[in-house]
Amino acid sequence: MSWNWLGWLMWILGIGFLGFVIHYIRVKQLMLIAKTKKRFDGKLFTQYVVMSLVAILWLGSLVYLRFIQPINYNDRQQVQLSTKYQPLQLHDQGNDYYYVLAKHSTSGKRPIVSYTYWADNSKYMVSSRFSSISDGARLIPVEATSLPWNKEKLQKIDNESGHAFAAVMTGHYRNTPLNGLSLRANHVASSYTLLRVPQENMVAEH
């Protein structure tokens, strides 16, 4: 059974507790005014602050775990990695042949928005945000060095494929209580594609 039930439970309880705090403060303030004709009581104010902080920290922690916490590919206790290797297939464009087609952006900060390649008689398109090109002596581009690649396997595939392959690393969140709190258990964390080509001119652009 997935640990995500724990995350849903904590969200329901957290939202319920926040609703209780709001209701509690409103009722206590009305009673204070009705009994004492005053709007401020130091003891009650302290209770309000403590209860509000608990609710904020509770829901804030859940928001962080669900939406903000970065993916740590090197934490094998939380993320399970698998890498798929595919030899690239040549594709023709008139009289020219290429392995990868890079699509340029008409606007924005990123000059290239996606890469298209062919492998196993199928067409694939990946975002440039989660992929990179290797076309020189350096097998792993600088932007992909932080990922835990199997360098020996990459070198073997590089030699066998004639320096033309795609390595797709996919991370899945393990079924753990911590991942359950973030509602990520058993879900795909992210996928990154390393595209290896023999030369720079084997990447066409449009």
Side-chain angles (χ1 to χ4, degrees):
M1 184 175 67
S2 172
W3 275 101
N4 288 329
W5 68 266
L6 181 61
W8 286 114
L9 177 63
M10 294 303 291
W11 271 103
I12 293 172
L13 293 177
I15 294 173
F17 181 71
L18 177 62
F20 168 76
V21 171
I22 295 173
H23 177 72
Y24 179 85
I25 293 175
R26 181 174 179 274
V27 170
K28 286 295 183 178
Q29 279 299 106
L30 291 175
M31 291 178 62
L32 177 66
I33 294 172
K35 291 182 178 181
T36 66
K37 308 301 181 182
K38 297 180 180 180
R39 292 180 175 274
F40 180 82
D41 180 271
K43 185 177 180 180
L44 283 177
F45 180 76
T46 301
Q47 291 181 3
Y48 300 160
V49 170
V50 172
M51 294 175 69
S52 298
L53 285 176
V54 171
I56 292 171
L57 290 174
W58 187 335
L59 291 176
S61 298
L62 293 176
V63 168
Y64 173 80
L65 289 173
R66 181 68 181 92
F67 301 105
I68 303 175
Q69 185 183 33
I71 303 169
N72 184 2
Y73 286 96
N74 295 301
D75 186 355
R76 300 301 176 86
Q77 298 298 318
Q78 299 299 326
V79 179
Q80 181 179 10
L81 295 177
S82 62
T83 306
K84 180 180 180 181
Y85 304 93
Q86 300 170 293
L88 296 181
Q89 295 174 332
L90 279 171
H91 200 74
D92 65 292
Q93 184 177 11
N95 295 324
D96 295 327
Y97 289 87
Y98 61 89
Y99 283 113
V100 179
L101 180 63
K103 182 179 180 181
H104 278 266
S105 173
T106 56
S107 61
K109 297 181 179 180
R110 300 183 70 86
I112 297 176
V113 295
S114 67
Y115 295 111
T116 301
Y117 65 95
W118 288 259
D120 299 327
N121 297 318
S122 298
K123 179 181 178 181
Y124 299 86
M125 186 173 69
V126 293
S127 168
S128 62
R129 185 179 178 183
F130 302 104
S131 57
S132 57
I133 296 281
S134 170
D135 56 18
R138 190 186 186 101
L139 186 56
I140 302 175
V142 175
E143 57 268 32
T145 53
S146 62
L147 299 176
W149 300 101
N150 185 331
K151 297 180 181 179
E152 293 183 359
K153 181 68 173 180
L154 282 178
Q155 190 63 61
K156 180 181 178 182
I157 298 296
D158 189 48
N159 295 333
E160 293 176 349
S161 65
H163 315 298
F165 68 89
V168 183
M169 179 183 292
T170 303
H172 287 83
Y173 288 108
R174 294 183 182 275
N175 191 24
T176 65
L178 181 59
N179 286 336
L181 283 174
S182 64
L183 300 177
R184 294 174 171 180
N186 292 330
H187 291 178
V188 174
S190 185
S191 181
Y192 193 93
T193 302
L194 169 63
L195 295 168
R196 174 66 166 167
V197 294
Q199 301 176 38
E200 183 179 357
N201 60 8
M202 299 305 289
V203 178
E205 299 181 359
H206 79 100

